[in-house]
Amino acid sequence: MIPFVREFDFEYGRVDRVSPRLRRVICNNPGPFTFTGTATFIVGDDEVAVIDPGPIDEAHLTALMAALKDERVTHILLTHTHADHSPLAKALQQRTGSPILAAPPPARPTSASANEGNGGEGWDETAVFPPDRVLSDGETINGPDWSLTVMATPGHASNHLAFVLPQENALLVGDHVMGWSTSVVVPPDGSMADYMRSLDRVIAGDFSVLWPTHGPPVVHPAAFLEAYKAHRLDRERQILERLAAGDTAIPQMVAAMYLGLDPRLVPAAGQSVLGHLIKLAEDGRVTATPAPTVDADWRLT
């Protein structure tokens, strides 16, 4: 079982000092995918970086500008360009004059369903791209008493990044790992194979704390991440069992595997199963007819 943590102290619009170099302001956009809302992190003091400004929300922008009073924003950084993370970047840039830094646009086509019924996890369709500077895996951004090293973590999104804060042995992990829930992987841009490789990379980092963009921090990452990985491998096993039992359609598998699931999350569960099935197809263990989509007929190879 994953040792989820769902209780933490926050108020919308309040700036909280959560570590020596991090402050957090949470946007009032709660939902089944965003939990209590999007957390925007401010790194450093006086000369700062802002990570994931959030959705278009005037109250959140006002709260951020109040938190940043008399400080210089040197960088606006995006973990990825889902609609609950990046749209406010342009408005924040207009207020601060700061450059927007992010990964390139999505490497794979995004599906229309990615922007429907998913509580804000669809793509940012505003004109964020191209960013002012494209970030590369391994590069470091420096501040007066802080630095952030870019870690490419594709999977939840093909252009997903995390940011290592070495002074605190911390990882600002975006949506790749969350303390309150598992992360959604929606094909075709989301890739379960990429996700699992990125998860192994985060595990190998041996961080002291993970700071997700939704919910509380993960303060015992080693055990948590092993449980997170085990959960994904168990889902893969369950899917293979459902196929062996004769299920051929994703809705059948979801009904059998996700008992008591919130109806709002059923489409996301189907996308997650699809992500696993595509990975299994890439591994040569299953086949899809006529093509690997959510409506396909799936069978063991």
Side-chain angles (χ1 to χ4, degrees), residues 83-216:
D84 55 326
H85 288 249
S86 59
L88 200 63
K90 283 293 186 184
L92 184 61
Q93 181 181 56
Q94 289 168 1
R95 297 285 190 95
T96 63
S98 310
I100 298 171
L101 284 65
R108 290 179 286 272
T110 58
S111 63
S113 62
N115 279 349
E116 297 173 0
N118 58 5
E121 281 292 327
W123 286 100
D124 174 6
E125 296 179 338
T126 65
V128 168
F129 279 115
D132 298 299
R133 183 155 72 82
V134 170
L135 293 171
S136 300
D137 181 55
E139 75 170 277
T140 298
I141 299 157
N142 292 302
D145 66 342
W146 55 268
S147 61
L148 294 168
T149 299
V150 178
M151 177 186 284
T153 49
H156 173 72
S158 63
N159 67 348
H160 195 285
L161 303 174
F163 297 97
V164 181
L165 179 61
Q167 292 82 7
E168 299 184 6
N169 193 32
L171 185 68
L172 292 115
V173 74
D175 281 0
H176 189 68
V177 177
M178 297 185 289
W180 71 282
S181 178
T182 55
S183 182
V184 176
V185 178
V186 178
D189 185 71
S191 164
M192 192 63 68
D194 286 348
Y195 182 86
M196 296 301 288
R197 284 189 288 267
S198 296
L199 190 59
D200 282 337
R201 191 176 185 195
V202 173
I203 290 170
D206 194 24
F207 298 103
S208 299
V209 60
L210 307 179
W211 291 100
T213 309
H214 306 287

Side-chain angles (χ1 to χ4, degrees), residues 276-297:
H276 278 289
L277 284 164
I278 290 173
K279 177 182 178 294
L280 289 167
E282 292 169 352
D283 293 341
R285 302 179 71 180
V286 305
T287 58
T289 305
T293 67
V294 73
D295 300 317
D297 183 85

